[in-house]
Amino acid sequence: MADYPLLFRITHAVRSAKFEALVVTDGRALMAHEEGEWWCHGVEPGGLTESGDGPLVAFERFRLTFRHVLDDLAEESDSFERLQQDARMFFNADAVEESRWNAALDGLHDGAEIEEAFRAMQRMRPRPSAMTIEMLVSY
């Protein structure tokens, strides 16, 4: 089974006692079938991994955990600037998963067989990962 390089966008509103903000994340993840389960490993954000009995379940758990982390960072932040700093630190790339992601992308370019669950997915050119955080309301 191959590894699959994924691009994603997660848009999430967060709230603290001092502000509300909108976080838009264009990141990368690696979907892999390992030890009988599907695993979604974050490249950006590095260090975030979730599993499931199928790729959609693994990605949904990854997305939910990512949103929970953003919620926690906002709740713990004493300022909007602190949220920006902490969120960007969390979003840093994982070098090991980035290497695997690049190898998986090369494999697709070289004609690797694509499993059924991934055949209908939209193909996109790689793009830079980015996180934007916009203040919505200040209290």
Side-chain angles (χ1 to χ4, degrees):
M1 290 210 181
D3 290 343
Y4 295 94
L6 303 178
L7 300 173
F8 65 85
R9 171 172 279 178
I10 296 175
T11 301
H12 186 59
V14 295
R15 173 182 286 174
S16 78
K18 296 187 177 194
F19 60 85
E20 291 179 31
L22 183 66
V23 181
V24 179
T25 308
D26 290 314
R28 297 182 295 167
L30 181 76
M31 187 66 66
H33 194 258
E34 302 166 344
E35 301 175 11
E37 284 190 288
W38 284 95
W39 292 85
C40 187
H41 302 288
V43 176
E44 295 102 8
L48 179 61
T49 296
E50 286 293 341
S51 67
D53 59 0
L56 291 175
V57 174
F59 180 73
E60 180 62 16
R61 288 179 178 165
F62 176 88
R63 187 178 67 81
L64 288 172
T65 299
F66 183 73
R67 288 179 164 183
H68 287 306
V69 169
L70 293 175
D71 288 337
D72 289 346
L73 290 174
E75 287 175 16
E76 296 169 5
S77 294
D78 56 3
S79 69
F80 176 71
E81 292 74 21
R82 181 60 185 223
L83 169 66
Q84 289 178 308
Q85 179 183 9
D86 291 348
R88 291 187 199 295
M89 187 177 301
F90 168 68
F91 190 62
N92 281 338
D94 180 291
V96 171
E97 297 306 337
E98 183 172 34
S99 177
R100 287 181 65 192
W101 192 92
N102 288 328
L105 183 62
D106 290 344
L108 290 178
H109 288 156
D110 293 340
E113 185 176 332
I114 300 173
E115 294 179 51
E116 184 66 33
F118 298 94
R119 289 186 191 144
M121 291 180 82
Q122 179 183 2
R123 306 290 187 265
M124 300 174 67
R125 290 189 180 278
R127 44 113 176 100
S129 296
M131 174 183 276
T132 59
I133 307 169
E134 176 186 350
M135 172 83 76
L136 297 176
V137 178
S138 177
Y139 301 114

